[in-house]
Amino acid sequence: SALYVQYHNCAWSQNRDVYNGEEEEGGSGDENDYWYMGATPSFAANVAYSLYGSLQGETFTGCNGDTFINSFTTNTGFEAFASALYYAGATSSDYSQSYSSECQGGAG
């Protein structure tokens, strides 16, 4: 069995505040949920990626339609993606500690 991550790109997009209960709220997820000053959404460099894989006993034939699992985007910034790659053993460096997706001097 094998699992492969194909990185597509990063995009500056809205984060979800999973530590403040936002995941459970039934809001629309757009700018209308932030209707007063001080409650503006946070933004970060989020990652778009796809997963490809094969089952145990099968031969992996590359990233194609037969091995495609699904495409995803992060919603908590690049750091979580980089940390997951490190803990999965895909890289020997933990880049999540050396990079920040927060806007340094902007509205992030």
Side-chain angles (χ1 to χ4, degrees), residues 2-105:
L3 183 65
Y4 294 87
V5 177
Q6 182 181 44
Y7 164 82
H8 295 297
N9 213 333
C10 281
W12 194 251
S13 59
Q14 183 176 339
N15 273 346
R16 299 271 309 165
D17 191 355
V18 295
Y19 301 108
N20 262 343
E22 188 175 317
E23 287 285 318
E24 289 81 32
E25 291 179 8
S28 64
D30 62 17
E31 68 276 359
N32 295 326
D33 286 347
Y34 302 94
W35 53 271
Y36 65 94
M37 286 182 61
T40 56
S42 63
F43 285 76
N46 283 296
V47 178
Y49 62 99
S50 293
L51 292 180
Y52 294 84
S54 61
L55 297 173
Q56 190 168 3
E58 293 181 354
T59 302
F60 184 74
T61 59
C63 295
N64 57 55
D66 293 334
T67 60
F68 176 75
I69 297 172
N70 209 343
S71 293
F72 303 92
T73 58
T74 60
N75 60 9
T76 56
F78 173 82
E79 296 90 339
F81 181 78
S83 183
L85 289 180
Y86 171 72
Y87 287 118
T91 181
S92 59
S93 299
D94 184 2
Y95 294 105
S96 67
Q97 301 303 314
S98 61
Y99 175 86
S100 173
S101 63
E102 292 297 316
C103 182
Q104 303 298 320

